[in-house]
Amino acid sequence: MKLSRYSFLFSGKEKNLHLCYNDLMSEYIVHGRRKLEGKVRISGNKNAALPCLAATLLTDDSIVLENVPLIQDVNVMIRLLCELGSQVTGLGDGMYAVTSDISLTALSPSLVDSVRGSILFAGPLLARGYKVVIPPPGGDVIGLRRLDSHFVGLSALGVECRINEHNNLELTPPARLRGADIFLDEASVTATENCIMAAALAEGTSTIYNAACEPHVQSLCRMLNAMGSEISGIGSNFLTVKGKERLHGCRHRLCFDYMECGSFIGLAACTGSSLTLTDIESESMKPIENGFRKLGVEFEIRENEIYIPSSVSRIISRTYTGVTEKIDDAPWPGFPADLLSIMCVTATQMEGSILIHEKMFESRMFFIDYLIRMGADIILCDPHRAVIRGKTELKGREVISPDVRAGMALVAAALCAEGESVIKNIEQIERGYENLLDKLVNIGADIKRN
């Protein structure tokens, strides 16, 4: 893997640290057409873990985080914290104790480039008075992922933003950030999280309009309130943050990963399998339930688990006027964009036609070429829209995982396809799914890592 020349600097001091990765050679070998059965424990939310780990920098006290998924993105965030001077101790069973003592150091460019969550260090470091020089962060290659909303919000709090001669963004805070009214031009999850963390130590009160309100944003807000913040409006798109002089330690449990939950619902549906998913939170499932219902997939939501029967209707619904139904993504509580990939695969195994409309990223839908190669009947209308007609018999093929969610969708496709499939670049998948191979094998999947 080529290492970026970009670096992540604090207070202008640079230290060149490099992490050498092995070439991306690992792959899954999958034999499909097997019924799956059993229980799957849904892990903690990756998208909650990253901001909550970054938020530990807001205090020198110890923070204990529970239900943290053991995945590559979390490992990278922990390594970045350690480079900043934090002490991170694994307590077992997904628990970590973090005590921060920020030192003036640079972070490994390769680490920063490997996870988009690295941008989340900006908010707490600026709140603590540190100058930040940051390149565009890494993560999935799914199209243009603009950062403007971050800088609009941080500028409102008094941060001076500029592009330096190395094309890195320099963020310079005043002596103390000042509370402000912030209007985000898009309901960006990470921009909302950065603004919340920065405002938590600002002088005065901040309001954030058009805030993202996904469950993982709510999880961060609850953690900050446990640290002594006063954040109101949690779960809505209008947040009020009363800044504090200092925050203290706390113990916080991350919410469950509803993306992983939705992935296994789709996997059960397209393979005609019966699965029980445990450790879920039912209040976060309504948007996902509505989307799967359009595909003819219904499941039983219990207090802390979901049961997907093998006897789903498997008939794609039509609108009340009798025309083709549509599934499109939207900010929460709309249908999550990250689950559209798995919906595409599920639709290939249902009877009928549906339009999948991905509005946010112009490259996410290109993995559909692999589904077509496997035998799916799909018209890719443009970078954002695909018409899918099922049911089609998929055939095993060699494919490459382009991003974490499309990669999981290709795993689902391989498990319902006839014959052998080879899925390459599986490191992308394992960035977001904890112990995926073990979970699949335990429910009867014929899959191995090569």
Side-chain angles (χ1 to χ4, degrees):
M1 175 183 290
K2 183 179 179 181
L3 297 179
S4 169
R5 296 189 307 162
Y6 287 125
S7 57
F8 194 123
L9 319 176
F10 304 105
S11 294
K13 296 184 178 180
E14 180 173 3
K15 180 181 177 183
N16 292 318
L17 301 171
H18 296 288
L19 176 70
C20 294
Y21 288 95
N22 293 325
D23 290 337
L24 303 181
M25 298 295 290
S26 298
E27 59 190 20
Y28 287 149
I29 309 296
V30 183
H31 292 91
R33 296 288 179 87
R34 293 188 60 169
K35 297 289 185 181
L36 311 177
E37 187 173 6
K39 289 188 175 183
V40 178
R41 179 192 172 273
I42 300 303
S43 301
N45 192 310
K46 171 183 89 82
N47 291 327
L50 306 188
C52 288
L53 284 167
T56 62
L57 295 171
L58 289 168
T59 179
D60 294 331
D61 295 346
S62 179
I63 301 283
V64 175
L65 295 177
E66 302 177 1
N67 202 30
V68 179
L70 184 60
I71 55 175
Q72 180 62 17
D73 278 11
V74 167
N75 291 338
V76 171
M77 290 293 283
I78 289 174
R79 294 193 65 173
L80 290 170
L81 278 173
C82 292
E83 289 190 0
L84 287 171
S86 296
Q87 180 178 343
V88 183
T89 304
L91 304 177
D93 197 25
M95 295 175 56
Y96 291 87
V98 184
T99 304
S100 294
D101 181 15
I102 301 172
S103 57
L104 304 182
T105 182
L107 298 180
S108 301
S110 57
L111 291 178
V112 174
D113 284 351
S114 67
V115 59
R116 186 171 175 80
S118 58
I119 188 67
L120 292 166
F121 287 118
L125 287 166
L126 291 166
R128 297 293 299 272
Y130 290 87
K131 177 180 177 180
V132 177
V133 181
I134 183 172
D140 289 333
V141 182
I142 54 176
L144 178 65
R145 307 180 75 176
R146 56 197 294 273
L147 299 175
D148 301 56
S149 297
H150 293 258
F151 311 132
V152 168
L154 295 174
S155 295
L157 295 169
V159 176
E160 179 184 340
C161 305
R162 78 177 189 92
I163 302 294
N164 67 16
E165 62 275 13
H166 302 294
N167 292 320
N168 294 331
L169 189 81
E170 287 190 7
L171 306 175
T172 306
R176 186 181 178 189
L177 300 183
R178 304 179 299 274
D181 290 336
I182 300 170
F183 179 81
L184 299 179
D185 60 345
E186 63 174 346
S188 163
V189 168
T190 50
T192 299
E193 291 164 343
N194 252 335
C195 291
I196 292 168
M197 290 187 284
L201 289 179
E203 182 179 2
T205 298
S206 299
T207 57
I208 305 174
Y209 299 81
N210 196 29
C213 55
E214 276 77 358
H216 34 286
V217 178
Q218 299 175 40
S219 183
L220 173 65
C221 290
R222 290 193 294 270
M223 173 183 169
L224 293 176
N225 278 350
M227 294 171 66
S229 293
E230 287 187 54
I231 304 173
S232 59
I234 298 173
S236 76
N237 63 357
F238 179 74
L239 297 175
T240 301
V241 184
K242 294 183 179 180
K244 300 294 181 179
E245 287 281 349
R246 68 178 301 274
L247 299 178
H248 54 72
C250 75
R251 190 182 191 98
H252 177 66
R253 182 175 178 83
L254 303 181
C255 59
F256 87 117
D257 193 339
Y258 60 93
M259 299 299 185
E260 182 188 23
C261 183
S263 298
F264 274 96
I265 293 171
L267 175 61
C270 67
T271 58
S273 302
S274 174
L275 294 179
T276 299
L277 311 180
T278 65
D279 284 16
I280 67 102
E281 298 161 21
S282 59
E283 61 271 17
S284 298
M285 291 304 300
K286 286 300 182 183
I288 297 170
E289 182 183 18
N290 183 57
F292 276 107
R293 187 180 292 116
K294 293 181 179 181
L295 294 181
V297 180
E298 296 195 10
F299 45 87
E300 182 183 347
I301 301 178
R302 301 163 182 168
E303 183 177 354
N304 64 346
E305 67 178 27
I306 287 173
Y307 172 67
I308 309 105
S310 58
S311 57
V312 297
S313 77
R314 310 185 74 81
I315 298 175
I316 298 173
S317 67
R318 300 182 75 85
T319 68
Y320 286 109
T321 59
V323 300
T324 300
E325 186 61 271
K326 176 176 72 170
I327 297 176
D328 54 356
D329 57 346
W332 192 265
F335 191 84
D338 281 1
L339 281 179
L340 286 183
S341 299
I342 203 77
M343 301 302 276
C344 291
V345 175
T346 305
T348 69
Q349 301 307 297
M350 304 295 123
E351 299 286 346
S353 299
I354 195 160
L355 171 65
I356 304 291
H357 188 180
E358 211 290 359
K359 302 172 184 174
M360 297 178 63
F361 302 109
E362 67 274 7
S363 300
R364 189 190 290 274
M365 301 290 276
F366 289 155
F367 90 102
I368 282 176
D369 286 347
Y370 290 124
L371 297 183
I372 295 172
R373 187 181 305 173
M374 296 175 76
D377 185 353
I378 304 177
I379 298 173
L380 187 59
C381 308
D382 55 40
H384 296 277
R385 296 177 299 166
V387 177
I388 303 174
R389 187 175 70 86
K391 176 180 186 225
T392 54
E393 301 296 327
L394 301 184
K395 306 291 185 181
R397 292 288 186 269
E398 181 176 299
V399 297
I400 301 173
S401 169
D403 64 78
V404 59
R405 304 304 174 188
M408 182 62 194
L410 290 172
V411 170
L415 286 169
C416 65
E418 180 183 1
E420 180 180 280
S421 296
V422 178
I423 304 174
K424 296 182 176 295
N425 194 24
I426 61 173
E427 288 80 3
Q428 282 285 353
I429 308 171
E430 294 175 348
R431 284 182 43 231
Y433 291 88
E434 182 182 38
N435 296 328
L436 177 61
L437 191 65
D438 290 343
K439 289 181 178 182
L440 292 173
V441 170
N442 288 340
I443 57 176
D446 186 349
I447 180 173
K448 66 180 181 180
R449 184 188 181 105
N450 186 23

